[in-house]
Amino acid sequence: NAGVTQTPKFRVLKTGQSMTLLCAQDMNHEYMYWYRQDPGMGLRLIHYSVGEGTTAKGEVPDGYNVSRLKKQNFLLGLESAAPSQTSVYFCASSEVSANTGELFFGEGSRLTVL
Amino acid sequence: AQTVTQSQPEMSVQEAETVTLSCTYDTSESDYYLFWYKQPPSRQMILVIRQEAYKQQNATENRFSVNFQKAAKSFSLKISDSQLGDAAMYFCAYRTLNSGYALNFGKGTSLLVTP
């Protein structure tokens, strides 16, 4: 089972360049999330989506945009990358029902902005 | 907003011994979920254990158990018979009813297991 897949796994950008991280899940989950992880900071929520065609801001949304055109995909975009966006990015998904509450995570994408 | 605090940036335990990782949280909600996730060097986020707030009984999963004190808003993780493979970052997390049921994470505790 693929679960949650993120591409690319690694990327190096120059300041001002743009890029898109792709998250794909094959579990038919309604909810999807993008987090960033920085040393000593834990995981912080960037944006999330509660269904196809919907997105909302999380704790640290500045400098990022997202889209959920298809239920299985959640894209995270950086229009003009900055060194402060050097981080490891995690995508996650979960079911609508709160009975389990578990989030399923991708393997992470390490982004370096020079 | 809910906050999750892990006061121990690093912990160390000898193989076969027991270690307890601390976590406190702040919330005004009465029903919620709490989690412990493990992140080994591979970076993968792995669910260790989950606790529903309405359940008084502490959750257990093999060598992992929690001490859930709802009134004190405390949720500690106990690892028994520690193994070398337990070495990892451990994150405590609270599932909020806001933000699409996203998880709020603590800053993590790095666990070192020595032979």
Coordinates of all heavy atoms in Angstrom, one line a residue, chain A residues 6-81:
Chain A
Q6 N 4.9 11.7 -1.2 CA 5.4 13.1 -1.4 C 6.4 13.1 -2.5 O 7.3 12.3 -2.5 CB 5.9 13.7 -0.2 CG 4.9 13.9 0.9 CD 5.6 14.5 2.2 OE1 5.3 14.1 3.3 NE2 6.3 15.6 2.0
T7 N 6.3 14.0 -3.4 CA 7.4 14.3 -4.4 C 7.6 15.7 -4.6 O 6.7 16.5 -4.6 CB 7.0 13.6 -5.8 OG1 5.7 14.1 -6.2 CG2 7.0 12.1 -5.7
P8 N 8.9 16.2 -4.7 CA 10.1 15.3 -4.6 C 10.5 15.1 -3.2 O 9.9 15.7 -2.3 CB 11.2 16.2 -5.3 CG 10.8 17.6 -5.0 CD 9.3 17.6 -5.0
K9 N 11.5 14.2 -2.9 CA 11.9 13.9 -1.6 C 13.0 15.0 -1.2 O 13.1 15.3 0.0 CB 12.6 12.5 -1.5 CG 11.6 11.4 -1.8 CD 10.6 11.2 -0.7 CE 9.8 9.9 -0.9 NZ 9.0 10.0 -2.1
F10 N 13.7 15.5 -2.1 CA 14.8 16.5 -1.8 C 14.7 17.5 -3.0 O 14.5 17.2 -4.1 CB 16.2 15.8 -1.8 CG 16.4 14.8 -0.8 CD1 16.1 13.5 -1.1 CD2 16.7 15.1 0.5 CE1 16.3 12.5 -0.1 CE2 16.9 14.1 1.5 CZ 16.7 12.8 1.2
R11 N 15.0 18.8 -2.6 CA 15.1 19.8 -3.6 C 16.0 20.9 -3.1 O 15.9 21.3 -1.9 CB 13.7 20.3 -3.9 CG 13.7 21.4 -5.1 CD 13.9 20.8 -6.4 NE 14.0 21.8 -7.4 CZ 13.0 22.3 -8.1 NH1 11.8 21.8 -7.9 NH2 13.2 23.2 -9.0
V12 N 16.8 21.5 -3.9 CA 17.6 22.7 -3.6 C 17.1 23.8 -4.5 O 17.1 23.6 -5.7 CB 19.1 22.4 -3.7 CG1 19.9 23.7 -3.4 CG2 19.5 21.3 -2.8
L13 N 16.8 24.9 -3.9 CA 16.3 26.1 -4.7 C 17.2 27.3 -4.4 O 17.8 27.4 -3.3 CB 14.9 26.5 -4.3 CG 13.7 25.6 -4.7 CD1 12.5 26.2 -4.1 CD2 13.6 25.5 -6.2
K14 N 17.2 28.2 -5.3 CA 17.8 29.5 -5.1 C 16.8 30.5 -4.6 O 15.6 30.4 -5.0 CB 18.5 30.0 -6.3 CG 19.7 29.2 -6.8 CD 20.4 29.8 -8.0 CE 21.6 28.9 -8.4 NZ 22.2 29.5 -9.7
T15 N 17.1 31.5 -3.9 CA 16.2 32.5 -3.4 C 15.5 33.1 -4.6 O 16.1 33.5 -5.6 CB 16.9 33.6 -2.6 OG1 17.5 33.0 -1.5 CG2 16.0 34.7 -2.2
G16 N 14.1 33.2 -4.5 CA 13.3 33.7 -5.5 C 12.7 32.7 -6.5 O 11.8 33.1 -7.2
Q17 N 13.3 31.5 -6.5 CA 12.7 30.5 -7.4 C 11.4 30.0 -6.8 O 11.1 30.2 -5.7 CB 13.7 29.4 -7.6 CG 14.9 29.7 -8.4 CD 15.8 28.5 -8.7 OE1 16.0 27.7 -7.8 NE2 16.3 28.4 -9.9
S18 N 10.6 29.4 -7.7 CA 9.3 28.8 -7.3 C 9.4 27.3 -7.5 O 10.2 26.7 -8.2 CB 8.2 29.4 -8.2 OG 8.4 29.0 -9.5
M19 N 8.5 26.6 -6.7 CA 8.4 25.2 -6.8 C 7.1 24.7 -6.2 O 6.4 25.5 -5.5 CB 9.6 24.5 -6.2 CG 9.5 24.4 -4.6 SD 10.5 23.1 -4.0 CE 9.6 21.6 -4.6
T20 N 6.7 23.5 -6.5 CA 5.5 22.9 -6.0 C 5.9 21.5 -5.5 O 6.5 20.7 -6.1 CB 4.5 22.7 -7.1 OG1 4.1 24.0 -7.6 CG2 3.2 22.0 -6.5
L21 N 5.4 21.2 -4.3 CA 5.5 19.9 -3.7 C 4.1 19.2 -3.9 O 3.1 19.8 -3.6 CB 5.8 20.0 -2.2 CG 7.1 20.5 -1.7 CD1 7.2 20.7 -0.2 CD2 8.2 19.6 -2.2
L22 N 4.2 18.0 -4.3 CA 3.0 17.2 -4.5 C 2.8 16.2 -3.5 O 3.7 15.4 -3.1 CB 3.1 16.5 -5.9 CG 2.0 15.5 -6.2 CD1 0.6 16.2 -6.2 CD2 2.2 14.7 -7.5
C23 N 1.6 16.1 -3.0 CA 1.2 15.0 -2.0 C 0.0 14.2 -2.6 O -0.9 14.8 -3.1 CB 0.8 15.6 -0.7 SG 0.2 14.4 0.5
A24 N 0.2 12.9 -2.6 CA -0.9 12.1 -3.1 C -1.2 11.0 -2.1 O -0.3 10.4 -1.6 CB -0.4 11.4 -4.5
Q25 N -2.5 10.8 -1.9 CA -2.9 9.7 -1.0 C -3.9 8.8 -1.7 O -4.8 9.3 -2.4 CB -3.4 10.3 0.3 CG -4.6 11.3 0.2 CD -6.0 10.7 0.3 OE1 -6.2 9.6 0.6 NE2 -6.9 11.6 0.2
D26 N -3.8 7.5 -1.4 CA -4.7 6.5 -2.0 C -5.6 5.9 -1.0 O -6.1 4.8 -1.2 CB -3.8 5.4 -2.7 CG -2.9 4.7 -1.7 OD1 -3.0 4.9 -0.5 OD2 -2.2 3.8 -2.2
M27 N -5.9 6.6 0.1 CA -6.8 6.0 1.1 C -8.2 6.6 1.1 O -9.0 6.4 2.0 CB -6.1 6.2 2.5 CG -4.8 5.5 2.6 SD -3.9 5.8 4.1 CE -3.2 7.4 3.7
N28 N -8.4 7.5 0.1 CA -9.7 8.1 0.0 C -10.1 9.0 1.2 O -11.2 9.2 1.5 CB -10.9 7.1 -0.2 CG -12.1 7.7 -0.9 OD1 -12.0 8.6 -1.8 ND2 -13.3 7.3 -0.5
H29 N -9.0 9.6 1.8 CA -9.2 10.5 2.9 C -9.7 11.8 2.4 O -9.3 12.4 1.4 CB -7.9 10.6 3.7 CG -7.6 9.4 4.5 ND1 -6.3 9.3 5.1 CD2 -8.3 8.3 4.8 CE1 -6.3 8.1 5.7 NE2 -7.5 7.5 5.6
E30 N -10.6 12.4 3.3 CA -11.1 13.7 3.0 C -10.2 14.8 3.4 O -10.0 15.8 2.7 CB -12.5 14.0 3.7 CG -13.7 13.2 3.1 CD -14.1 13.8 1.7 OE1 -13.8 14.9 1.4 OE2 -14.8 13.0 1.0
Y31 N -9.5 14.7 4.5 CA -8.7 15.7 5.1 C -7.3 15.5 4.8 O -6.7 14.4 4.9 CB -8.9 15.7 6.6 CG -10.2 16.1 7.2 CD1 -11.3 16.4 6.3 CD2 -10.4 16.2 8.5 CE1 -12.5 16.8 6.8 CE2 -11.6 16.6 9.1 CZ -12.7 16.9 8.2 OH -13.9 17.2 8.7
M32 N -6.6 16.6 4.4 CA -5.2 16.6 4.1 C -4.5 17.8 4.7 O -5.2 18.9 4.9 CB -4.9 16.5 2.6 CG -5.5 15.2 2.0 SD -5.0 15.0 0.2 CE -3.3 14.6 0.4
Y33 N -3.2 17.7 5.0 CA -2.5 18.7 5.7 C -1.1 18.8 5.2 O -0.5 17.9 4.7 CB -2.4 18.3 7.2 CG -3.7 17.8 7.8 CD1 -4.0 16.5 7.7 CD2 -4.5 18.7 8.5 CE1 -5.2 16.0 8.3 CE2 -5.7 18.2 9.1 CZ -6.0 16.9 9.0 OH -7.2 16.5 9.5
W34 N -0.5 20.1 5.3 CA 0.9 20.3 5.1 C 1.5 20.9 6.4 O 1.0 21.9 6.9 CB 1.1 21.3 3.9 CG 1.1 20.6 2.6 CD1 0.2 20.7 1.6 CD2 2.2 19.8 2.0 NE1 0.5 20.0 0.5 CE2 1.8 19.4 0.7 CE3 3.4 19.3 2.5 CZ2 2.5 18.6 -0.1 CZ3 4.1 18.5 1.7 CH2 3.7 18.2 0.4
Y35 N 2.6 20.2 6.8 CA 3.3 20.7 8.0 C 4.7 21.0 7.5 O 5.2 20.5 6.6 CB 3.4 19.6 9.0 CG 2.1 19.3 9.8 CD1 1.2 18.4 9.3 CD2 1.9 20.0 11.0 CE1 0.0 18.2 10.1 CE2 0.7 19.7 11.8 CZ -0.2 18.8 11.3 OH -1.3 18.5 12.0
R36 N 5.4 21.8 8.3 CA 6.8 22.0 8.2 C 7.5 21.7 9.5 O 6.9 21.9 10.6 CB 7.2 23.4 7.7 CG 6.9 24.6 8.6 CD 7.4 25.9 8.1 NE 8.8 26.0 8.3 CZ 9.6 27.0 7.7 NH1 9.0 27.9 7.0 NH2 10.9 27.0 7.9
Q37 N 8.7 21.1 9.4 CA 9.4 20.7 10.6 C 10.8 21.4 10.6 O 11.6 21.2 9.7 CB 9.6 19.2 10.7 CG 10.3 18.7 12.0 CD 10.5 17.2 12.1 OE1 10.4 16.5 11.1 NE2 10.8 16.7 13.3
D38 N 11.0 22.1 11.7 CA 12.3 22.8 11.9 C 12.9 22.3 13.2 O 12.2 22.0 14.1 CB 12.1 24.3 11.9 CG 11.5 24.8 10.6 OD1 12.1 24.7 9.5 OD2 10.3 25.3 10.6
P39 N 14.2 22.3 13.2 CA 14.9 21.8 14.5 C 14.4 22.6 15.7 O 14.3 23.8 15.7 CB 16.4 22.2 14.2 CG 16.5 22.1 12.7 CD 15.2 22.7 12.2
G40 N 14.0 21.8 16.7 CA 13.6 22.4 18.0 C 12.2 23.0 18.0 O 11.8 23.6 19.0
M41 N 11.5 22.8 16.8 CA 10.2 23.5 16.7 C 9.0 22.5 16.6 O 7.9 22.9 16.5 CB 10.2 24.4 15.5 CG 11.1 25.6 15.6 SD 10.7 26.7 17.0 CE 9.2 27.3 16.4
G42 N 9.3 21.2 16.5 CA 8.2 20.3 16.2 C 7.7 20.5 14.8 O 8.3 21.0 13.9
L43 N 6.4 20.0 14.6 CA 5.8 20.2 13.3 C 4.7 21.3 13.5 O 3.9 21.3 14.4 CB 5.1 18.9 12.9 CG 5.9 17.8 12.3 CD1 6.8 17.1 13.3 CD2 5.1 16.8 11.5
R44 N 4.7 22.2 12.5 CA 3.8 23.3 12.5 C 2.9 23.2 11.2 O 3.4 23.0 10.1 CB 4.5 24.6 12.6 CG 5.2 24.8 13.9 CD 5.9 26.2 14.0 NE 7.1 26.2 13.1 CZ 7.7 27.3 12.7 NH1 7.4 28.5 13.3 NH2 8.8 27.3 11.9
L45 N 1.6 23.5 11.4 CA 0.7 23.4 10.4 C 0.7 24.6 9.4 O 0.6 25.7 9.9 CB -0.8 23.2 10.9 CG -1.9 23.0 10.0 CD1 -1.8 21.7 9.2 CD2 -3.2 23.1 10.7
I46 N 0.9 24.3 8.1 CA 1.0 25.4 7.2 C -0.4 25.7 6.6 O -0.9 26.8 6.7 CB 1.9 25.0 6.0 CG1 3.3 24.7 6.5 CG2 2.0 26.2 5.0 CD1 4.2 24.1 5.5
H47 N -1.0 24.7 5.9 CA -2.3 24.8 5.3 C -3.0 23.4 5.5 O -2.3 22.4 5.7 CB -2.3 25.1 3.9 CG -2.0 26.5 3.5 ND1 -2.9 27.6 3.6 CD2 -0.8 27.1 3.2 CE1 -2.3 28.7 3.2 NE2 -1.1 28.5 3.0
Y48 N -4.3 23.4 5.4 CA -5.0 22.1 5.4 C -6.2 22.2 4.5 O -6.6 23.3 4.0 CB -5.4 21.8 6.8 CG -6.5 22.7 7.5 CD1 -7.8 22.4 7.5 CD2 -6.1 23.9 8.1 CE1 -8.7 23.2 8.0 CE2 -7.0 24.7 8.6 CZ -8.3 24.4 8.6 OH -9.2 25.3 9.2
S49 N -6.8 21.0 4.2 CA -8.0 20.9 3.4 C -8.9 19.9 3.9 O -8.5 18.8 4.3 CB -7.5 20.5 2.0 OG -8.7 20.2 1.2
V50 N -10.2 20.3 4.0 CA -11.2 19.4 4.5 C -12.0 18.7 3.4 O -13.0 18.0 3.6 CB -12.2 20.1 5.5 CG1 -11.4 20.6 6.7 CG2 -13.0 21.2 4.8
G51 N -11.6 18.9 2.1 CA -12.2 18.2 1.0 C -11.8 18.8 -0.3 O -11.2 19.9 -0.3
E52 N -12.1 18.1 -1.4 CA -11.8 18.6 -2.7 C -12.3 20.0 -2.9 O -13.4 20.3 -2.6 CB -12.4 17.6 -3.7 CG -12.1 18.0 -5.2 CD -12.7 16.9 -6.1 OE1 -12.6 15.7 -5.8 OE2 -13.3 17.3 -7.1
G53 N -11.4 20.9 -3.4 CA -11.8 22.2 -3.7 C -11.8 23.2 -2.6 O -12.0 24.4 -2.7
T54 N -11.4 22.7 -1.4 CA -11.3 23.6 -0.2 C -9.9 23.6 0.4 O -9.2 22.6 0.4 CB -12.3 23.1 0.9 OG1 -11.7 21.9 1.5 CG2 -13.7 22.8 0.4
T55 N -9.5 24.8 0.8 CA -8.2 24.9 1.6 C -8.4 26.0 2.6 O -9.3 26.8 2.6 CB -7.1 25.4 0.6 OG1 -7.4 26.7 0.1 CG2 -6.9 24.4 -0.5
A56 N -7.5 25.9 3.6 CA -7.6 26.9 4.7 C -6.2 27.0 5.3 O -5.4 26.2 5.2 CB -8.6 26.4 5.8
K57 N -6.0 28.2 6.0 CA -4.7 28.5 6.5 C -4.5 27.8 7.9 O -5.4 27.7 8.7 CB -4.5 30.0 6.7 CG -4.5 30.8 5.4 CD -4.4 32.3 5.6 CE -4.3 33.0 4.3 NZ -4.2 34.5 4.5
G58 N -3.3 27.4 8.1 CA -2.9 26.9 9.4 C -2.1 27.9 10.2 O -2.4 29.1 10.1
E59 N -1.2 27.4 11.0 CA -0.4 28.3 11.9 C 0.6 29.2 11.2 O 0.8 30.3 11.6 CB 0.3 27.4 13.0 CG 1.1 28.2 14.0 CD 1.9 27.2 14.9 OE1 1.8 26.0 14.7 OE2 2.7 27.7 15.7
V60 N 1.2 28.7 10.2 CA 2.3 29.4 9.5 C 2.1 29.4 8.0 O 2.9 28.8 7.2 CB 3.7 28.8 9.9 CG1 4.1 29.1 11.3 CG2 3.7 27.3 9.6
P61 N 1.1 30.1 7.5 CA 0.8 30.0 6.1 C 1.5 31.0 5.1 O 1.5 30.8 3.9 CB -0.7 30.4 6.0 CG -0.8 31.3 7.2 CD 0.1 30.9 8.2
D62 N 2.2 32.0 5.7 CA 2.8 33.0 4.9 C 3.9 32.5 4.0 O 4.8 31.8 4.4 CB 3.3 34.2 5.8 CG 2.3 34.9 6.5 OD1 1.1 34.8 6.1 OD2 2.6 35.6 7.5
G63 N 3.8 32.9 2.7 CA 4.8 32.5 1.7 C 4.5 31.2 1.0 O 5.2 30.7 0.1
Y64 N 3.3 30.6 1.3 CA 2.9 29.3 0.7 C 1.5 29.5 0.1 O 0.7 30.2 0.7 CB 2.9 28.2 1.8 CG 4.1 28.0 2.5 CD1 4.3 28.6 3.8 CD2 5.2 27.2 2.0 CE1 5.5 28.4 4.5 CE2 6.3 27.0 2.7 CZ 6.5 27.6 3.9 OH 7.7 27.4 4.6
N65 N 1.2 28.7 -0.9 CA -0.1 28.5 -1.4 C -0.4 27.1 -1.6 O 0.5 26.3 -1.8 CB -0.3 29.3 -2.7 CG 0.7 28.9 -3.8 OD1 0.5 27.9 -4.4 ND2 1.7 29.7 -4.0
V66 N -1.7 26.7 -1.6 CA -2.0 25.3 -1.8 C -3.2 25.2 -2.7 O -4.0 26.1 -2.9 CB -2.4 24.7 -0.4 CG1 -1.2 24.4 0.5 CG2 -3.5 25.5 0.3
S67 N -3.4 24.0 -3.2 CA -4.6 23.7 -4.0 C -5.0 22.2 -3.8 O -4.1 21.4 -3.7 CB -4.3 24.0 -5.5 OG -3.3 23.1 -6.0
R68 N -6.3 22.0 -3.9 CA -6.8 20.6 -3.8 C -7.8 20.4 -4.9 O -9.0 20.4 -4.7 CB -7.5 20.5 -2.4 CG -8.0 19.1 -2.1 CD -7.0 18.3 -1.3 NE -7.5 16.9 -1.1 CZ -8.2 16.6 0.0 NH1 -8.6 17.5 0.9 NH2 -8.6 15.3 0.2
L69 N -7.3 20.3 -6.1 CA -8.2 20.2 -7.3 C -8.8 18.8 -7.4 O -9.9 18.6 -7.9 CB -7.5 20.5 -8.5 CG -7.0 22.0 -8.6 CD1 -6.2 22.2 -9.9 CD2 -8.1 22.9 -8.5
K70 N -8.1 17.8 -6.9 CA -8.5 16.4 -6.8 C -8.5 15.9 -5.4 O -7.6 16.3 -4.6 CB -7.7 15.5 -7.7 CG -7.8 15.8 -9.2 CD -7.0 14.8 -10.0 CE -7.1 15.1 -11.5 NZ -6.3 14.1 -12.3
K71 N -9.4 15.1 -5.0 CA -9.5 14.6 -3.6 C -8.2 13.9 -3.2 O -7.7 14.1 -2.1 CB -10.6 13.6 -3.5 CG -10.8 13.1 -2.1 CD -12.0 12.1 -2.1 CE -12.3 11.7 -0.7 NZ -13.5 10.8 -0.6
Q72 N -7.5 13.2 -4.1 CA -6.3 12.5 -3.7 C -5.0 13.3 -3.7 O -4.0 12.8 -3.2 CB -6.1 11.3 -4.6 CG -5.8 11.6 -6.1 CD -7.1 11.7 -6.9 OE1 -8.2 12.1 -6.4 NE2 -7.0 11.3 -8.2
N73 N -5.1 14.5 -4.2 CA -3.9 15.3 -4.3 C -4.0 16.6 -3.5 O -5.0 17.3 -3.6 CB -3.5 15.6 -5.8 CG -3.2 14.4 -6.6 OD1 -2.8 13.4 -6.0 ND2 -3.4 14.5 -7.9
F74 N -2.8 17.0 -2.9 CA -2.8 18.3 -2.2 C -1.4 18.9 -2.5 O -0.4 18.3 -2.2 CB -2.9 18.0 -0.7 CG -3.2 19.3 0.1 CD1 -3.9 20.4 -0.4 CD2 -2.9 19.3 1.5 CE1 -4.2 21.5 0.4 CE2 -3.1 20.4 2.3 CZ -3.8 21.5 1.7
L75 N -1.4 20.0 -3.2 CA -0.2 20.7 -3.7 C 0.2 21.8 -2.8 O -0.7 22.6 -2.4 CB -0.4 21.2 -5.1 CG -0.2 20.1 -6.2 CD1 -1.3 19.0 -6.2 CD2 -0.3 20.8 -7.6
L76 N 1.5 21.9 -2.5 CA 2.0 23.1 -1.7 C 3.0 23.8 -2.6 O 3.9 23.2 -3.1 CB 2.7 22.6 -0.5 CG 3.4 23.6 0.4 CD1 2.3 24.5 1.1 CD2 4.4 23.0 1.4
G77 N 2.7 25.1 -2.8 CA 3.5 25.9 -3.7 C 4.3 27.0 -3.0 O 3.8 27.6 -2.0
L78 N 5.5 27.2 -3.4 CA 6.3 28.4 -3.0 C 6.5 29.3 -4.2 O 7.2 28.8 -5.2 CB 7.6 27.9 -2.4 CG 7.7 27.2 -1.1 CD1 7.1 25.8 -1.1 CD2 9.1 27.2 -0.6
E79 N 5.9 30.4 -4.2 CA 6.0 31.3 -5.4 C 7.4 32.0 -5.5 O 7.9 32.1 -6.6 CB 4.9 32.3 -5.4 CG 3.5 31.8 -5.6 CD 2.5 32.9 -5.7 OE1 2.8 34.0 -5.4 OE2 1.3 32.5 -6.1
S80 N 8.0 32.4 -4.4 CA 9.3 33.0 -4.4 C 10.0 32.6 -3.1 O 9.8 33.1 -2.0 CB 9.1 34.6 -4.4 OG 10.3 35.2 -4.3
A81 N 10.8 31.5 -3.3 CA 11.4 30.9 -2.1 C 12.4 31.8 -1.4 O 13.1 32.6 -2.0 CB 12.1 29.6 -2.6

